[in-house]
Amino acid sequence: MLTSITEGILCCLTGKAASLVLPLESSEPSDGFEFVEVKPGRVLRVRHIVPERQPIETEKEVDACNDSDTSSSVHCKRRITVYRNGQLVIENLGDVLHSEILQCQDGDLEPCSTVEVELADFKEIKPAPPPRRRRRKPKRTVVIDSKRVISSCKGTHSDVALFFVHGVGGSLDIWSSQLDFFSRLGYEVIAPDLAGHGASTAPQIAAAYTFYALAEDLRAIFKRYARKRNILIGHSYGVSFCTFLAHEYPDLVHKVVMINGGGPTALEPSLCSIFQLPSCVLHCLSPCLAWSFLKAGFARQGAKEKQLLKQGNAFNVSPFVLRAMMSGQYWPEGDEVYHAELTVPILLVHGMCDKFVPMDEDQRMAEILLFAFLKVIEEGSHMVMMECPDTVNTLLHEFFLWEPDMSRKDSSKTDAEKTVAVSDTLHTLKINKVMDK
């Protein structure tokens, strides 16, 4: 800690930024690691594991899967209306799906089907009624009308790839348990280090760490490794990038997993934050910040958690990168409407002890999304995939293999006409997708 304070004082006196994070020697074997230049001088470390498969059997399985996809074709149709008072009204007009995913009894994928509707629905009853309300004019209306094929994704399918995206201060090493588990099951896995994190290069300009700059990096990685069916798994800030890619490539993204990602709100940096302090000051405070992250990111702070933090190379970024990352979280397009437009099935995983992301934010996300499951892990916190790897791996695998039950599709047509109203001031929403452990 004394060394950090000394370096911070020298940084302030010389006017130079603290030393930036440089490529690290990974404890993992060199096999499976690649360095990809997404832009000139901007190199990301990527762990890419391609399992050995039997080509003949794989192709037969893929063809058989494609032939049976017609039974899982879902008509995604919804009208999203935004009024000037901030009210969001979602009308689901497409198919209603039913499933028994993750031991959820009668899991109805139609979001918020039991929500009270708050609309201008006043009706005249007496000859001399009160003055009628003026009919509100919508500020914005978005219509989604498409068909999506939802099928099981097995590790033996050569057209399936899993992308893992970490958040601020993390690295691809936080996914070690997931990468090893799914690669052993035969999945092709891809996990990059964001710029300035892990073993990726760290540019010395703040503009290199804005949301849009990082999103373009991940777009390049996605286009390089994408298969026909891709599943995106994001953690914390990484969830926003997965949402961006799912919105940009709806035909290529098959499913999405959001782990402690927060609510469906547009991103903007906080002006009153400790991360707005100069980099040299943050450098002095780095030991305190690391300890605070350990306390807030893990349900327990024992020797095991400290070792996990060290092995995962988490929160091992320079103060300059950390400050630029927090200040660059500006994404005005990522509002509730943006999320409501997604038609991809989504699994939400929330650690009950998470001190960074409140439970109600993930509940709000489940309300807005079209096809979403919310799973709460009681003993987990923000770094739930490191704390409870077996539980998380099981949840993810079951979700990858899940496909909707269309047997009750015809009998549910009347339910498909239900209207969902979501108001920022009215929180009478009921979620029937939250599953206890």
Short mmCIF file of all heavy atoms in Angstrom, two decimals, residues 97-157:
data_model
loop_
_atom_site.label_atom_id
_atom_site.label_comp_id
_atom_site.label_asym_id
_atom_site.label_seq_id
_atom_site.Cartn_x
_atom_site.Cartn_y
_atom_site.Cartn_z
N LEU A 97 -45.58 -18.65 -25.51
CA LEU A 97 -44.84 -19.89 -25.36
C LEU A 97 -44.96 -20.41 -23.94
O LEU A 97 -45.10 -19.66 -22.99
CB LEU A 97 -43.36 -19.65 -25.69
CG LEU A 97 -43.07 -19.06 -27.06
CD1 LEU A 97 -41.58 -18.98 -27.27
CD2 LEU A 97 -43.71 -19.89 -28.15
N HIS A 98 -44.89 -21.72 -23.83
CA HIS A 98 -44.90 -22.37 -22.52
C HIS A 98 -43.72 -23.30 -22.45
O HIS A 98 -43.33 -23.91 -23.44
CB HIS A 98 -46.20 -23.14 -22.29
CG HIS A 98 -47.41 -22.27 -22.31
ND1 HIS A 98 -47.92 -21.66 -21.18
CD2 HIS A 98 -48.22 -21.88 -23.33
CE1 HIS A 98 -48.99 -20.96 -21.50
NE2 HIS A 98 -49.19 -21.08 -22.80
N SER A 99 -43.14 -23.43 -21.27
CA SER A 99 -41.98 -24.29 -21.11
C SER A 99 -41.86 -24.72 -19.67
O SER A 99 -42.43 -24.12 -18.76
CB SER A 99 -40.71 -23.57 -21.55
OG SER A 99 -39.58 -24.36 -21.25
N GLU A 100 -41.10 -25.78 -19.45
CA GLU A 100 -40.80 -26.25 -18.10
C GLU A 100 -39.32 -26.02 -17.80
O GLU A 100 -38.69 -26.80 -17.11
CB GLU A 100 -41.12 -27.76 -17.99
CG GLU A 100 -42.54 -28.10 -18.38
CD GLU A 100 -43.57 -27.41 -17.50
OE1 GLU A 100 -43.26 -27.17 -16.33
OE2 GLU A 100 -44.67 -27.13 -18.00
N ILE A 101 -38.76 -24.94 -18.31
CA ILE A 101 -37.33 -24.70 -18.17
C ILE A 101 -36.93 -24.50 -16.71
O ILE A 101 -37.65 -23.86 -15.94
CB ILE A 101 -36.91 -23.48 -19.00
CG1 ILE A 101 -35.39 -23.30 -18.96
CG2 ILE A 101 -37.56 -22.21 -18.51
CD1 ILE A 101 -34.88 -22.21 -19.86
N LEU A 102 -35.83 -25.08 -16.35
CA LEU A 102 -35.22 -24.87 -15.04
C LEU A 102 -36.17 -25.13 -13.89
O LEU A 102 -36.22 -24.40 -12.91
CB LEU A 102 -34.65 -23.44 -14.94
CG LEU A 102 -33.75 -23.00 -16.08
CD1 LEU A 102 -33.30 -21.58 -15.87
CD2 LEU A 102 -32.57 -23.92 -16.21
N GLN A 103 -36.97 -26.18 -14.00
CA GLN A 103 -37.90 -26.60 -12.96
C GLN A 103 -38.92 -25.51 -12.64
O GLN A 103 -39.38 -25.39 -11.51
CB GLN A 103 -37.15 -26.99 -11.69
CG GLN A 103 -36.17 -28.13 -11.90
CD GLN A 103 -35.39 -28.47 -10.66
OE1 GLN A 103 -35.49 -27.78 -9.65
NE2 GLN A 103 -34.61 -29.54 -10.72
N CYS A 104 -39.25 -24.70 -13.60
CA CYS A 104 -40.25 -23.66 -13.41
C CYS A 104 -41.60 -24.20 -13.83
O CYS A 104 -41.80 -24.55 -14.98
CB CYS A 104 -39.91 -22.41 -14.22
SG CYS A 104 -41.15 -21.11 -14.14
N GLN A 105 -42.54 -24.30 -12.90
CA GLN A 105 -43.83 -24.87 -13.21
C GLN A 105 -44.63 -23.93 -14.10
O GLN A 105 -44.82 -22.76 -13.77
CB GLN A 105 -44.61 -25.14 -11.92
CG GLN A 105 -43.94 -26.19 -11.04
CD GLN A 105 -44.75 -26.45 -9.78
OE1 GLN A 105 -45.74 -25.78 -9.53
NE2 GLN A 105 -44.31 -27.44 -9.02
N ASP A 106 -45.10 -24.48 -15.18
CA ASP A 106 -45.92 -23.72 -16.12
C ASP A 106 -45.25 -22.40 -16.48
O ASP A 106 -45.84 -21.33 -16.37
CB ASP A 106 -47.30 -23.45 -15.53
CG ASP A 106 -48.27 -22.94 -16.60
OD1 ASP A 106 -47.99 -23.15 -17.79
OD2 ASP A 106 -49.29 -22.35 -16.23
N GLY A 107 -44.00 -22.47 -16.89
CA GLY A 107 -43.26 -21.25 -17.20
C GLY A 107 -43.82 -20.56 -18.42
O GLY A 107 -43.67 -21.01 -19.54
N ASP A 108 -44.49 -19.45 -18.22
CA ASP A 108 -45.09 -18.69 -19.31
C ASP A 108 -44.10 -17.63 -19.75
O ASP A 108 -43.74 -16.76 -18.98
CB ASP A 108 -46.38 -18.04 -18.84
CG ASP A 108 -47.14 -17.36 -19.97
OD1 ASP A 108 -46.59 -17.32 -21.08
OD2 ASP A 108 -48.27 -16.91 -19.74
N LEU A 109 -43.68 -17.72 -20.97
CA LEU A 109 -42.67 -16.78 -21.46
C LEU A 109 -43.24 -15.44 -21.84
O LEU A 109 -42.51 -14.52 -22.14
CB LEU A 109 -41.95 -17.37 -22.68
CG LEU A 109 -40.96 -18.48 -22.39
CD1 LEU A 109 -40.23 -18.83 -23.66
CD2 LEU A 109 -40.01 -18.11 -21.31
N GLU A 110 -44.55 -15.32 -21.86
CA GLU A 110 -45.14 -14.02 -22.19
C GLU A 110 -44.92 -13.10 -21.01
O GLU A 110 -45.43 -13.32 -19.92
CB GLU A 110 -46.63 -14.18 -22.46
CG GLU A 110 -47.29 -12.93 -23.00
CD GLU A 110 -46.81 -12.59 -24.39
OE1 GLU A 110 -46.22 -13.44 -25.05
OE2 GLU A 110 -47.03 -11.45 -24.80
N PRO A 111 -44.10 -12.04 -21.15
CA PRO A 111 -43.69 -11.26 -20.00
C PRO A 111 -44.82 -10.45 -19.39
O PRO A 111 -45.63 -9.85 -20.09
CB PRO A 111 -42.59 -10.35 -20.56
CG PRO A 111 -42.92 -10.23 -22.00
CD PRO A 111 -43.52 -11.56 -22.39
N CYS A 112 -44.88 -10.46 -18.05
CA CYS A 112 -45.78 -9.59 -17.32
C CYS A 112 -47.23 -9.77 -17.74
O CYS A 112 -47.95 -8.79 -17.94
CB CYS A 112 -45.37 -8.13 -17.48
SG CYS A 112 -43.64 -7.83 -17.14
N SER A 113 -47.68 -10.99 -17.89
CA SER A 113 -49.03 -11.22 -18.39
C SER A 113 -50.09 -10.92 -17.33
O SER A 113 -51.28 -10.88 -17.66
CB SER A 113 -49.17 -12.66 -18.87
OG SER A 113 -48.89 -13.56 -17.83
N THR A 114 -49.71 -10.70 -16.09
CA THR A 114 -50.68 -10.42 -15.04
C THR A 114 -50.60 -8.97 -14.56
O THR A 114 -50.99 -8.65 -13.46
CB THR A 114 -50.45 -11.36 -13.84
OG1 THR A 114 -49.13 -11.17 -13.34
CG2 THR A 114 -50.64 -12.80 -14.25
N VAL A 115 -50.10 -8.10 -15.41
CA VAL A 115 -49.89 -6.71 -15.03
C VAL A 115 -51.17 -5.90 -15.19
O VAL A 115 -51.92 -6.08 -16.14
CB VAL A 115 -48.78 -6.10 -15.91
CG1 VAL A 115 -48.58 -4.64 -15.59
CG2 VAL A 115 -47.49 -6.85 -15.69
N GLU A 116 -51.41 -5.02 -14.21
CA GLU A 116 -52.52 -4.09 -14.35
C GLU A 116 -52.19 -3.09 -15.46
O GLU A 116 -51.06 -2.67 -15.63
CB GLU A 116 -52.76 -3.34 -13.04
CG GLU A 116 -53.27 -4.22 -11.93
CD GLU A 116 -53.58 -3.42 -10.69
OE1 GLU A 116 -53.63 -2.17 -10.80
OE2 GLU A 116 -53.77 -4.04 -9.64
N VAL A 117 -53.20 -2.70 -16.20
CA VAL A 117 -53.01 -1.78 -17.31
C VAL A 117 -53.48 -0.41 -16.89
O VAL A 117 -54.61 -0.23 -16.44
CB VAL A 117 -53.80 -2.25 -18.55
CG1 VAL A 117 -53.63 -1.25 -19.68
CG2 VAL A 117 -53.34 -3.62 -18.97
N GLU A 118 -52.62 0.56 -16.98
CA GLU A 118 -52.97 1.94 -16.65
C GLU A 118 -53.00 2.74 -17.94
O GLU A 118 -51.99 3.20 -18.43
CB GLU A 118 -51.97 2.55 -15.67
CG GLU A 118 -52.41 3.93 -15.19
CD GLU A 118 -51.36 4.60 -14.35
OE1 GLU A 118 -50.26 4.82 -14.90
OE2 GLU A 118 -51.61 4.90 -13.19
N LEU A 119 -54.17 2.84 -18.52
CA LEU A 119 -54.36 3.56 -19.78
C LEU A 119 -55.49 4.55 -19.63
O LEU A 119 -56.23 4.55 -18.63
CB LEU A 119 -54.68 2.57 -20.90
CG LEU A 119 -53.60 1.55 -21.25
CD1 LEU A 119 -54.12 0.58 -22.28
CD2 LEU A 119 -52.37 2.24 -21.78
N ALA A 120 -55.69 5.39 -20.62
CA ALA A 120 -56.80 6.34 -20.63
C ALA A 120 -58.06 5.60 -21.08
O ALA A 120 -58.51 5.72 -22.21
CB ALA A 120 -56.49 7.51 -21.55
N ASP A 121 -58.63 4.80 -20.16
CA ASP A 121 -59.76 3.95 -20.53
C ASP A 121 -61.04 4.38 -19.83
O ASP A 121 -61.91 3.57 -19.52
CB ASP A 121 -59.44 2.49 -20.18
CG ASP A 121 -59.04 2.34 -18.72
OD1 ASP A 121 -58.93 3.37 -18.01
OD2 ASP A 121 -58.84 1.20 -18.29
N PHE A 122 -61.17 5.68 -19.53
CA PHE A 122 -62.37 6.18 -18.86
C PHE A 122 -63.58 6.06 -19.79
O PHE A 122 -63.54 6.40 -20.95
CB PHE A 122 -62.17 7.65 -18.46
CG PHE A 122 -63.34 8.24 -17.76
CD1 PHE A 122 -63.57 7.99 -16.42
CD2 PHE A 122 -64.24 9.03 -18.46
CE1 PHE A 122 -64.66 8.54 -15.79
CE2 PHE A 122 -65.33 9.57 -17.83
CZ PHE A 122 -65.55 9.33 -16.49
N LYS A 123 -64.67 5.53 -19.22
CA LYS A 123 -65.88 5.37 -20.01
C LYS A 123 -67.02 6.18 -19.39
O LYS A 123 -67.16 6.28 -18.18
CB LYS A 123 -66.28 3.88 -20.05
CG LYS A 123 -65.27 3.00 -20.75
CD LYS A 123 -65.76 1.57 -20.80
CE LYS A 123 -64.74 0.69 -21.51
NZ LYS A 123 -65.17 -0.73 -21.56
N GLU A 124 -67.88 6.70 -20.25
CA GLU A 124 -69.03 7.46 -19.77
C GLU A 124 -70.12 6.52 -19.28
O GLU A 124 -70.45 5.53 -19.91
CB GLU A 124 -69.59 8.33 -20.91
CG GLU A 124 -68.62 9.39 -21.39
CD GLU A 124 -69.26 10.29 -22.43
OE1 GLU A 124 -70.48 10.16 -22.63
OE2 GLU A 124 -68.54 11.10 -23.02
N ILE A 125 -70.68 6.85 -18.11
CA ILE A 125 -71.74 6.02 -17.55
C ILE A 125 -73.03 6.83 -17.40
O ILE A 125 -74.12 6.36 -17.71
CB ILE A 125 -71.31 5.46 -16.18
CG1 ILE A 125 -70.03 4.63 -16.35
CG2 ILE A 125 -72.42 4.64 -15.55
CD1 ILE A 125 -69.49 4.09 -15.05
N LYS A 126 -72.93 8.07 -16.93
CA LYS A 126 -74.09 8.92 -16.71
C LYS A 126 -74.27 9.89 -17.87
O LYS A 126 -73.34 10.19 -18.61
CB LYS A 126 -73.90 9.72 -15.41
CG LYS A 126 -73.74 8.83 -14.18
CD LYS A 126 -75.02 8.08 -13.87
CE LYS A 126 -74.86 7.28 -12.58
NZ LYS A 126 -76.09 6.55 -12.23
N PRO A 127 -75.46 10.42 -18.02
CA PRO A 127 -75.69 11.42 -19.08
C PRO A 127 -74.83 12.66 -18.88
O PRO A 127 -74.47 13.33 -19.83
CB PRO A 127 -77.18 11.75 -18.94
CG PRO A 127 -77.77 10.54 -18.28
CD PRO A 127 -76.73 10.02 -17.37
N ALA A 128 -74.53 12.99 -17.60
CA ALA A 128 -73.72 14.17 -17.33
C ALA A 128 -72.40 13.73 -16.67
O ALA A 128 -72.23 13.85 -15.46
CB ALA A 128 -74.45 15.14 -16.43
N PRO A 129 -71.52 13.18 -17.45
CA PRO A 129 -70.27 12.68 -16.89
C PRO A 129 -69.26 13.80 -16.68
O PRO A 129 -69.45 14.91 -17.18
CB PRO A 129 -69.77 11.72 -17.98
CG PRO A 129 -70.28 12.34 -19.24
CD PRO A 129 -71.59 12.99 -18.90
N PRO A 130 -68.22 13.50 -15.95
CA PRO A 130 -67.12 14.47 -15.84
C PRO A 130 -66.49 14.70 -17.20
O PRO A 130 -66.70 13.92 -18.14
CB PRO A 130 -66.12 13.79 -14.89
CG PRO A 130 -66.92 12.74 -14.19
CD PRO A 130 -67.99 12.31 -15.15
N PRO A 131 -65.74 15.76 -17.35
CA PRO A 131 -65.10 16.02 -18.65
C PRO A 131 -64.21 14.85 -19.06
O PRO A 131 -63.47 14.30 -18.25
CB PRO A 131 -64.27 17.28 -18.39
CG PRO A 131 -64.91 17.92 -17.20
CD PRO A 131 -65.47 16.80 -16.37
N ARG A 132 -64.28 14.47 -20.28
CA ARG A 132 -63.47 13.36 -20.78
C ARG A 132 -62.00 13.79 -20.89
O ARG A 132 -61.70 14.94 -21.19
CB ARG A 132 -63.96 12.91 -22.15
CG ARG A 132 -65.36 12.32 -22.13
CD ARG A 132 -65.74 11.81 -23.50
NE ARG A 132 -64.81 10.77 -23.94
CZ ARG A 132 -64.90 10.17 -25.14
NH1 ARG A 132 -65.84 10.52 -25.99
NH2 ARG A 132 -64.02 9.23 -25.47
N ARG A 133 -61.16 12.81 -20.64
CA ARG A 133 -59.74 13.10 -20.80
C ARG A 133 -59.39 13.29 -22.26
O ARG A 133 -59.96 12.64 -23.13
CB ARG A 133 -58.90 11.94 -20.25
CG ARG A 133 -59.05 11.70 -18.76
CD ARG A 133 -58.14 10.54 -18.36
NE ARG A 133 -58.33 10.16 -16.98
CZ ARG A 133 -57.68 9.16 -16.40
NH1 ARG A 133 -56.81 8.45 -17.10
NH2 ARG A 133 -57.90 8.86 -15.14
N ARG A 134 -58.45 14.15 -22.47
CA ARG A 134 -57.96 14.31 -23.83
C ARG A 134 -57.15 13.08 -24.20
O ARG A 134 -56.33 12.60 -23.43
CB ARG A 134 -57.08 15.54 -23.93
CG ARG A 134 -56.51 15.77 -25.32
CD ARG A 134 -55.51 16.91 -25.34
NE ARG A 134 -56.10 18.14 -24.86
CZ ARG A 134 -55.43 19.26 -24.71
NH1 ARG A 134 -54.14 19.30 -24.98
NH2 ARG A 134 -56.03 20.35 -24.25
N ARG A 135 -57.39 12.55 -25.35
CA ARG A 135 -56.68 11.36 -25.77
C ARG A 135 -55.21 11.69 -25.94
O ARG A 135 -54.84 12.62 -26.64
CB ARG A 135 -57.25 10.85 -27.09
CG ARG A 135 -56.56 9.59 -27.57
CD ARG A 135 -57.36 8.90 -28.62
NE ARG A 135 -56.72 7.65 -29.02
CZ ARG A 135 -57.30 6.73 -29.77
NH1 ARG A 135 -58.55 6.91 -30.16
NH2 ARG A 135 -56.66 5.64 -30.10
N ARG A 136 -54.40 10.87 -25.28
CA ARG A 136 -52.97 11.12 -25.32
C ARG A 136 -52.38 10.71 -26.66
O ARG A 136 -52.77 9.71 -27.24
CB ARG A 136 -52.27 10.35 -24.20
CG ARG A 136 -52.65 10.80 -22.82
CD ARG A 136 -52.01 9.89 -21.78
NE ARG A 136 -52.44 8.51 -21.95
CZ ARG A 136 -51.92 7.50 -21.28
NH1 ARG A 136 -50.93 7.71 -20.44
NH2 ARG A 136 -52.37 6.27 -21.46
N LYS A 137 -51.45 11.49 -27.11
CA LYS A 137 -50.75 11.17 -28.34
C LYS A 137 -49.41 10.53 -27.99
O LYS A 137 -48.67 11.06 -27.17
CB LYS A 137 -50.53 12.43 -29.18
CG LYS A 137 -51.82 13.06 -29.68
CD LYS A 137 -51.52 14.27 -30.55
CE LYS A 137 -52.80 14.88 -31.08
NZ LYS A 137 -52.53 16.07 -31.93
N PRO A 138 -49.12 9.42 -28.60
CA PRO A 138 -47.84 8.76 -28.29
C PRO A 138 -46.67 9.57 -28.80
O PRO A 138 -46.71 10.21 -29.85
CB PRO A 138 -47.95 7.42 -29.01
CG PRO A 138 -48.93 7.65 -30.11
CD PRO A 138 -49.91 8.66 -29.58
N LYS A 139 -45.61 9.54 -28.03
CA LYS A 139 -44.38 10.22 -28.43
C LYS A 139 -43.63 9.38 -29.45
O LYS A 139 -42.98 9.91 -30.35
CB LYS A 139 -43.53 10.47 -27.20
CG LYS A 139 -42.20 11.15 -27.47
CD LYS A 139 -41.41 11.34 -26.18
CE LYS A 139 -40.06 11.99 -26.45
NZ LYS A 139 -39.28 12.14 -25.19
N ARG A 140 -43.71 8.06 -29.29
CA ARG A 140 -42.96 7.16 -30.17
C ARG A 140 -43.64 5.80 -30.18
O ARG A 140 -44.10 5.32 -29.14
CB ARG A 140 -41.53 7.03 -29.69
CG ARG A 140 -40.64 6.11 -30.51
CD ARG A 140 -39.29 5.96 -29.84
NE ARG A 140 -38.43 5.01 -30.55
CZ ARG A 140 -37.29 4.52 -30.06
NH1 ARG A 140 -36.87 4.90 -28.87
NH2 ARG A 140 -36.57 3.66 -30.74
N THR A 141 -43.71 5.19 -31.34
CA THR A 141 -44.30 3.86 -31.47
C THR A 141 -43.36 2.98 -32.29
O THR A 141 -42.90 3.37 -33.35
CB THR A 141 -45.68 3.90 -32.14
OG1 THR A 141 -46.55 4.72 -31.35
CG2 THR A 141 -46.28 2.51 -32.25
N VAL A 142 -43.08 1.79 -31.76
CA VAL A 142 -42.21 0.83 -32.43
C VAL A 142 -42.98 -0.48 -32.58
O VAL A 142 -43.58 -0.96 -31.62
CB VAL A 142 -40.91 0.58 -31.64
CG1 VAL A 142 -40.04 -0.46 -32.34
CG2 VAL A 142 -40.14 1.88 -31.45
N VAL A 143 -42.97 -1.04 -33.78
CA VAL A 143 -43.65 -2.30 -34.05
C VAL A 143 -42.61 -3.36 -34.41
O VAL A 143 -41.79 -3.15 -35.32
CB VAL A 143 -44.68 -2.16 -35.18
CG1 VAL A 143 -45.34 -3.51 -35.48
CG2 VAL A 143 -45.74 -1.13 -34.81
N ILE A 144 -42.64 -4.46 -33.69
CA ILE A 144 -41.75 -5.59 -33.95
C ILE A 144 -42.58 -6.72 -34.53
O ILE A 144 -43.57 -7.15 -33.93
CB ILE A 144 -41.05 -6.07 -32.66
CG1 ILE A 144 -40.33 -4.91 -31.97
CG2 ILE A 144 -40.08 -7.20 -32.97
CD1 ILE A 144 -39.26 -4.28 -32.80
N ASP A 145 -42.22 -7.20 -35.69
CA ASP A 145 -42.97 -8.28 -36.34
C ASP A 145 -41.96 -9.16 -37.06
O ASP A 145 -41.49 -8.83 -38.15
CB ASP A 145 -44.00 -7.71 -37.31
CG ASP A 145 -44.97 -8.76 -37.82
OD1 ASP A 145 -44.77 -9.96 -37.50
OD2 ASP A 145 -45.94 -8.41 -38.51
N SER A 146 -41.64 -10.28 -36.45
CA SER A 146 -40.63 -11.17 -37.03
C SER A 146 -40.87 -12.58 -36.54
O SER A 146 -41.65 -12.82 -35.61
CB SER A 146 -39.22 -10.71 -36.67
OG SER A 146 -39.02 -10.77 -35.27
N LYS A 147 -40.21 -13.52 -37.17
CA LYS A 147 -40.25 -14.91 -36.75
C LYS A 147 -38.86 -15.33 -36.30
O LYS A 147 -37.87 -14.98 -36.92
CB LYS A 147 -40.74 -15.81 -37.88
CG LYS A 147 -42.23 -15.69 -38.17
CD LYS A 147 -42.68 -16.75 -39.15
CE LYS A 147 -44.20 -16.66 -39.38
NZ LYS A 147 -44.67 -17.71 -40.31
N ARG A 148 -38.83 -16.08 -35.20
CA ARG A 148 -37.56 -16.52 -34.65
C ARG A 148 -37.61 -18.03 -34.42
O ARG A 148 -38.59 -18.55 -33.91
CB ARG A 148 -37.24 -15.82 -33.34
CG ARG A 148 -36.01 -16.36 -32.64
CD ARG A 148 -35.63 -15.51 -31.45
NE ARG A 148 -35.05 -14.24 -31.88
CZ ARG A 148 -33.79 -14.07 -32.22
NH1 ARG A 148 -32.95 -15.10 -32.20
NH2 ARG A 148 -33.34 -12.89 -32.58
N VAL A 149 -36.54 -18.69 -34.80
CA VAL A 149 -36.39 -20.12 -34.58
C VAL A 149 -35.60 -20.33 -33.29
O VAL A 149 -34.48 -19.85 -33.17
CB VAL A 149 -35.69 -20.81 -35.76
CG1 VAL A 149 -35.44 -22.27 -35.44
CG2 VAL A 149 -36.53 -20.67 -37.02
N ILE A 150 -36.20 -21.00 -32.33
CA ILE A 150 -35.56 -21.26 -31.04
C ILE A 150 -35.37 -22.76 -30.91
O ILE A 150 -36.34 -23.52 -30.88
CB ILE A 150 -36.42 -20.74 -29.87
CG1 ILE A 150 -36.74 -19.25 -30.07
CG2 ILE A 150 -35.71 -20.95 -28.54
CD1 ILE A 150 -37.72 -18.69 -29.06
N SER A 151 -34.14 -23.19 -30.85
CA SER A 151 -33.85 -24.62 -30.80
C SER A 151 -32.80 -24.92 -29.75
O SER A 151 -32.17 -24.03 -29.20
CB SER A 151 -33.38 -25.11 -32.18
OG SER A 151 -32.18 -24.45 -32.55
N SER A 152 -32.63 -26.19 -29.48
CA SER A 152 -31.62 -26.64 -28.54
C SER A 152 -30.23 -26.48 -29.15
O SER A 152 -30.02 -26.75 -30.33
CB SER A 152 -31.87 -28.11 -28.18
OG SER A 152 -30.80 -28.63 -27.42
N CYS A 153 -29.27 -26.03 -28.33
CA CYS A 153 -27.90 -25.85 -28.80
C CYS A 153 -27.00 -26.80 -28.02
O CYS A 153 -26.73 -26.59 -26.83
CB CYS A 153 -27.44 -24.40 -28.58
SG CYS A 153 -28.37 -23.19 -29.54
N LYS A 154 -26.53 -27.83 -28.69
CA LYS A 154 -25.68 -28.83 -28.06
C LYS A 154 -24.21 -28.59 -28.42
O LYS A 154 -23.90 -27.98 -29.45
CB LYS A 154 -26.09 -30.24 -28.50
CG LYS A 154 -27.53 -30.60 -28.14
CD LYS A 154 -27.87 -32.00 -28.62
CE LYS A 154 -29.32 -32.36 -28.28
NZ LYS A 154 -29.67 -33.72 -28.76
N GLY A 155 -23.35 -29.09 -27.58
CA GLY A 155 -21.92 -28.93 -27.84
C GLY A 155 -21.47 -29.68 -29.07
O GLY A 155 -20.43 -29.35 -29.65
N THR A 156 -22.24 -30.67 -29.49
CA THR A 156 -21.87 -31.43 -30.68
C THR A 156 -22.23 -30.70 -31.96
O THR A 156 -21.84 -31.14 -33.04
CB THR A 156 -22.58 -32.79 -30.66
OG1 THR A 156 -23.99 -32.60 -30.49
CG2 THR A 156 -22.05 -33.65 -29.52
N HIS A 157 -22.97 -29.61 -31.86
CA HIS A 157 -23.35 -28.84 -33.05
C HIS A 157 -22.20 -27.92 -33.45
O HIS A 157 -21.81 -27.03 -32.68
CB HIS A 157 -24.61 -28.03 -32.80
CG HIS A 157 -25.82 -28.88 -32.53
ND1 HIS A 157 -26.95 -28.37 -31.90
CD2 HIS A 157 -26.08 -30.18 -32.79
CE1 HIS A 157 -27.85 -29.34 -31.79
NE2 HIS A 157 -27.35 -30.44 -32.33
#
